[in-house]
Each structure stands twice: as structure tokens, then as C-alpha cells.
Amino acid sequence: MIVNISPASQDYLKVIYDLSEQHGRAATSQIAEQLEIKPASVTGMLQKMAKEDPPLVEYKKHQGVTLTCDGEKAALEIMRHHRLLESFLHEILGYSWDEVHEEAERLEHVISEDMERRIAAVLGNPSRDPHGQPIPTQKLEIQALTDTPMGELRPPQNAIVQRVHDNDPELLRYLADLGLQPGARLTVLAYVHFDQTLHVQIEGREETAVLGPSITGRIFVELEQHGQK
């Protein structure tokens, strides 16, 4: 599927998929911000991708962009490459979870489908990557997300961390120090409306963590009933 799609187009497809999941459509300005490219350059690239055979996106000026069926399949395939590579680097080669994203970004465009299958087999066909992000299956199906942004929690809710955005190594190192990784249990002790901070108790840690929206907006959790383990 992705053999004839340039690495640059593949990067666009991943970003559009992610933004569309969050907002329904991806705006040019959002894509530009994510890829750190000027909006005018993004517009030109989207117009080109809309004219591919088959088209990868549906683009209308001032109305944003969505993926076509072919574009979505290609996005899921490159996401599968990326997340399997992150898992391989972490579990087999011993990379820390803050190191794998950039390495996977470089490798995802060049691995063969045979290597993808071998990596998946060695790992036991994992369903999630080291950051908790779902890995598309070989049939390019992906688990529906039902988790909740951590920033929506309020006391005295309990939750389990499901996934974390993976593209900020400094944040990942900070979260690892706090023990806020997939599988971590936490209890919300307080919410401060003025600065939107959450005061949380992380299971196994003595100190209370105080987290602002720049962090809680990038962590996704599953709610637990009070007392559930």
C-alpha cells in the first residue's frame, strides 16, 4: 500500500489521521503546527495529495482535510510500522520509552512488509506500543479508543493510565520519574479551577503529584469505580 507514497506524504497521513480522530477534520494550521511547516507549504502538499491516483485526501479550501479510504489505509499501515518499531526498539533492543519515537520515525518509511511481519511475530503480535497507543492489526484494523483525557478527572475519581502522547522525550522522562506510565493507578485528590491543576496520588508513590493541563491533556486514562482493583 505505502510503497508508492513518499515519506513526506506518509508523515502528512499520520498527522491528518490523528487530528481527524480528535476533531473530525484536520485544519491546515493544525497540520502546519504538528509538522513545523509553513501553512502555505501544507496547502500545496494537500492539493497534490488530493490529485494522487488514487486520491489520499479530500481537501477543500478553508474547510480542512479528511482522509479517503485509501489514505486511511495507508495511514494505518505506516502507524503499524511505527508502533511495532517502537515496541521492538523498547522490548528487544532496550531503548527507553523516550528514545523510541525518533528512531521509529526514521525507520518506518523503509522497512519491508516481510520485516514488519517478523517484528510482530517476535513481539507476540502486541496490541499496544510502549506508550499505550493501539497498534493496527495486519488487516489494518485498529482498536477503538474509549479512554478519557486525564484533565477531565475530578476528585475523588480513580483511574488507570492507558496511553500517553509519544512525541515529547522530555515529557516522557518526567512522567517515568513520576511513575505515570501505562498501567499506573492513580487517585485524584484535588482539582484547582484557577490554574486547572490536578493533585493526584500515584499508586506506589508517597508524594502527591501536581499536574497542569499541558501534561494532563496528553495522558489518557480509564476510569475505575471507587475501590475497584
Side-chain angles (χ1 to χ4, degrees):
M1 168 61 72
I2 62 174
V3 174
N4 297 319
I5 301 175
S6 71
S9 293
Q10 292 175 31
D11 288 338
Y12 271 79
L13 291 172
K14 284 196 305 177
V15 168
I16 294 168
Y17 184 94
D18 185 52
L19 290 171
S20 297
E21 266 200 327
Q22 300 176 55
H23 308 291
R25 298 182 73 88
T28 301
S29 59
Q30 293 172 322
I31 299 169
E33 181 179 358
Q34 290 283 323
L35 294 175
E36 299 181 348
I37 298 172
K38 293 181 179 179
S41 299
V42 172
T43 298
M45 185 62 159
L46 294 177
Q47 291 172 338
K48 177 182 176 182
M49 294 171 70
K51 295 177 181 177
E52 294 279 0
D53 184 18
L56 299 174
V57 301
E58 293 180 359
Y59 172 69
K60 294 182 180 179
K61 192 173 181 179
H62 304 308
Q63 295 184 37
V65 61
T66 56
L67 297 175
T68 63
C69 288
D70 290 291
E72 182 173 334
K73 287 181 181 179
L76 288 169
E77 187 166 351
I78 196 65
M79 285 166 56
R80 176 171 167 81
H81 285 189
H82 181 93
R83 293 174 181 177
L84 282 173
L85 282 164
E86 287 192 333
S87 300
F88 182 81
L89 291 165
H90 181 62
E91 295 183 26
I92 305 300
L93 300 186
Y95 281 69
S96 61
W97 81 328
D98 57 282
E99 296 175 317
V100 296
H101 180 73
E102 289 189 8
E103 289 286 0
E105 285 280 294
R106 287 188 281 268
L107 295 169
E108 66 189 19
H109 304 297
V110 297
I111 68 168
S112 66
E113 299 310 302
D114 181 56
M115 179 173 283
E116 174 209 294
R117 286 190 290 272
R118 289 173 184 244
I119 289 173
V122 166
L123 294 171
N125 295 301
S127 60
R128 298 219 174 208
D129 72 12
H131 311 103
Q133 299 287 3
I135 299 173
T137 67
Q138 190 172 353
K139 294 181 178 180
L140 302 182
E141 299 169 344
I142 191 166
Q143 179 182 346
L145 296 174
T146 58
D147 46 31
T148 301
M150 185 177 175
E152 295 182 7
L153 297 181
R154 295 294 182 268
Q157 287 180 311
N158 301 315
I160 302 175
V161 175
Q162 296 297 304
R163 60 188 177 98
V164 179
H165 283 179
D166 64 357
N167 58 356
D168 186 338
E170 186 175 356
L171 172 65
L172 293 172
R173 287 190 289 271
Y174 179 66
L175 294 179
D177 288 341
L178 291 176
L180 270 177
Q181 294 174 293
R185 282 186 162 87
L186 59 93
T187 299
V188 181
L189 303 178
Y191 171 73
V192 181
H193 179 75
F194 179 75
D195 58 6
Q196 299 180 325
T197 54
L198 287 178
H199 296 234
V200 302
Q201 185 69 54
I202 302 161
E203 189 173 73
R205 301 296 173 117
E206 293 184 4
E207 295 184 0
T208 300
V210 180
L211 306 172
S214 62
I215 293 177
T216 60
R218 305 178 77 175
I219 302 173
F220 297 83
V221 302
E222 178 183 286
L223 294 175
E224 286 190 303
Q225 298 299 321
H226 188 68
Q228 180 183 342
K229 292 291 184 184

